[in-house]
Amino acid sequence: EPEVTQTPSHQVTQMGQEVILRCVPISNHLYFYWYRQILGQKVEFLVSFYNNEISEKSEIFDDQFSVERPDGSNFTLKIRSTKLEDSAMYFCASSDGNEQFFGPGTRLTVL
Amino acid sequence: GQNIDQPTEMTATEGAIVQINCTYQTSGFNGLFWYQQHAGEAPTFLSYNVLDGLEEKGRFSSFLSRSKGYSYLLLKELQMKDSASYLCAVNRDDKIIFGKGTRLHILP
């Protein structure tokens, strides 16, 4: 069964450093998403992406965040200058317009 | 604005039926998701309701009433592995807003 994959599974970084989180969505899906979940809290929407551009973004997704689909398979989330409060699980998801499947997540720890 | 409400916790017995309710207030409604999330894992897709009515998928069913801003997830023949959080999420113009989730405890 096709699945969304994410790398790395864990990322530890120093405050102020840049990180890139990678995702490979399900191959025939056209809608892509990034979410984050701080430990013990609810899932928070960051951004949705369709047709090679951002379709919606939340208040969390400020100028420090960017997304890219550099080739036909990868979908990346970049955080330019990480802050302590960026520590969370980051989930990528892809959708065919109805069902939306999550990847296993990347646990980001900012020290 | 948007507001999604679901009970924080529920308890049910193995083999029984449980209904988890979700109410929402939002503009630009496109559909409503239900997800299951076990501790430390990613959410798993259960259902996506766009139109009013009940959709059944095995032991799980999901209901939507758009006019009432109301949905429920019905779990039948509960198993111990159904112990998890159940997340209601509204699709608002491709912005997906999650509720805080309902933690379901299953007793033997």
Side-chain angles (χ1 to χ4, degrees):
Chain A
E1 185 175 318
E3 58 183 18
V4 178
T5 59
Q6 290 185 244
T7 54
S9 56
H10 293 86
Q11 174 90 50
V12 180
T13 190
Q14 296 288 326
M15 189 171 60
Q17 295 296 304
E18 175 183 285
V19 295
I20 298 177
L21 310 183
R22 292 184 166 80
C23 169
V24 179
I26 294 172
S27 61
N28 62 340
H29 284 183
L30 299 177
Y31 301 85
F32 313 119
Y33 304 84
W34 281 102
Y35 299 89
R36 77 173 186 191
Q37 188 173 31
I38 295 168
L39 187 63
Q41 297 188 23
K42 67 177 185 177
V43 175
E44 296 177 291
F45 170 83
L46 294 178
V47 65
S48 55
F49 192 88
Y50 171 73
N51 203 23
N52 286 323
E53 60 183 27
I54 291 173
S55 44
E56 280 288 343
K57 59 183 179 179
S58 72
E59 301 76 23
I60 302 167
F61 195 89
D62 60 21
D63 292 343
Q64 294 300 311
F65 290 85
S66 62
V67 289
E68 222 178 28
R69 189 158 161 79
D71 53 42
S73 60
N74 289 285
F75 180 51
T76 62
L77 175 70
K78 183 192 291 187
I79 309 175
R80 288 191 185 78
S81 177
T82 50
K83 302 187 283 286
L84 295 176
E85 53 265 38
D86 293 328
S87 294
M89 281 291 287
Y90 286 80
F91 294 109
C92 171
S94 75
S95 171
D96 61 358
N98 287 299
E99 301 187 354
Q100 187 176 129
F101 297 98
F102 278 62
T106 294
R107 181 174 298 283
L108 177 65
T109 302
V110 182
L111 302 176
Chain B
Q2 49 248 355
N3 206 34
I4 299 171
D5 290 310
Q6 48 181 135
T8 304
E9 288 192 80
M10 297 182 72
T11 301
T13 306
E14 192 176 13
I17 298 172
V18 71
Q19 177 175 311
I20 302 174
N21 296 323
C22 172
T23 58
Y24 62 89
Q25 296 169 331
T26 186
S27 55
F29 177 85
N30 295 118
L32 188 143
F33 292 96
W34 281 98
Y35 286 91
Q36 180 192 63
Q37 186 177 31
H38 285 100
E41 297 183 11
T44 302
F45 174 86
L46 294 177
S47 65
Y48 183 51
N49 292 64
V50 175
L51 302 176
D52 290 353
L54 184 69
E55 293 193 7
E56 298 183 67
K57 197 185 288 186
R59 293 189 300 115
F60 293 4
S61 304
S62 56
F63 172 84
L64 175 67
S65 168
R66 288 172 297 171
S67 63
K68 294 181 179 175
Y70 168 67
S71 173
Y72 67 73
L73 180 69
L74 192 70
L75 293 76
K76 302 177 186 175
E77 299 168 21
L78 286 170
Q79 301 174 9
M80 296 304 293
K81 67 178 183 179
D82 297 330
S83 291
S85 288
Y86 291 85
L87 316 181
C88 171
V90 169
N91 182 350
R92 176 181 172 261
D93 293 333
D94 215 28
K95 197 173 185 178
I96 317 299
I97 310 301
F98 278 78
K100 293 182 179 179
T102 298
R103 189 184 301 271
L104 178 64
H105 304 277
I106 309 294
L107 302 176

